[in-house]
Amino acid sequence: MTATITPTEKTGARTDEAAALIGDARERIDALDDRIIGLIQERTAVSAVIQESRIGSGGRRVNLAREMEVLGHYRDALGKPGTALAMTMLELCRGRI
């Protein structure tokens, strides 16, 4: 016998209306997450081009001054958690070559 999970149980909502709203919002969040992942993958590819060019010209793989600019940009836009997000993104984008 398979138990069926109701929308209210799945969302933690107390009413069917709230469960429907939460379900729709979660679908939108999932779609946004897919777009964010795609943008990070695109950023990683662009970063690889920059790193290849820099290394090919005799430079270093990482430009710390530029990374500090990126960290500041995220911090200014998103507050302290933005810095952690930017650090994670930079980590994903460096060293792929």
Side-chain angles (χ1 to χ4, degrees):
M1 182 157 129
T2 304
T4 304
I5 298 173
T6 66
T8 52
E9 290 171 329
K10 186 175 180 180
T11 63
R14 303 244 179 204
T15 66
D16 290 339
E17 294 79 20
L21 181 87
I22 291 168
D24 291 345
R26 284 183 177 170
E27 285 180 20
R28 182 146 188 244
I29 284 174
D30 290 344
L32 289 167
D33 285 344
D34 288 342
R35 287 173 47 199
I36 291 166
I37 290 167
L39 288 170
I40 290 172
Q41 290 170 332
E42 182 179 348
R43 189 190 193 287
T44 299
V46 172
S47 181
V49 169
I50 292 168
Q51 289 177 49
E52 288 172 6
S53 180
R54 188 182 305 115
I55 291 168
S57 70
R60 296 176 56 133
R61 179 175 56 88
V62 175
N63 181 333
L64 295 178
R66 173 62 180 154
E67 288 196 358
M68 293 306 294
E69 289 177 17
V70 172
L71 291 170
H73 181 69
Y74 275 70
R75 182 189 61 247
D76 292 346
L78 302 172
K80 186 177 178 184
T83 303
L85 177 63
M87 285 296 298
T88 300
M89 186 200 50
L90 289 169
E91 183 179 342
L92 287 168
C93 291
R94 64 169 99 95
R96 299 286 181 162
I97 34 182

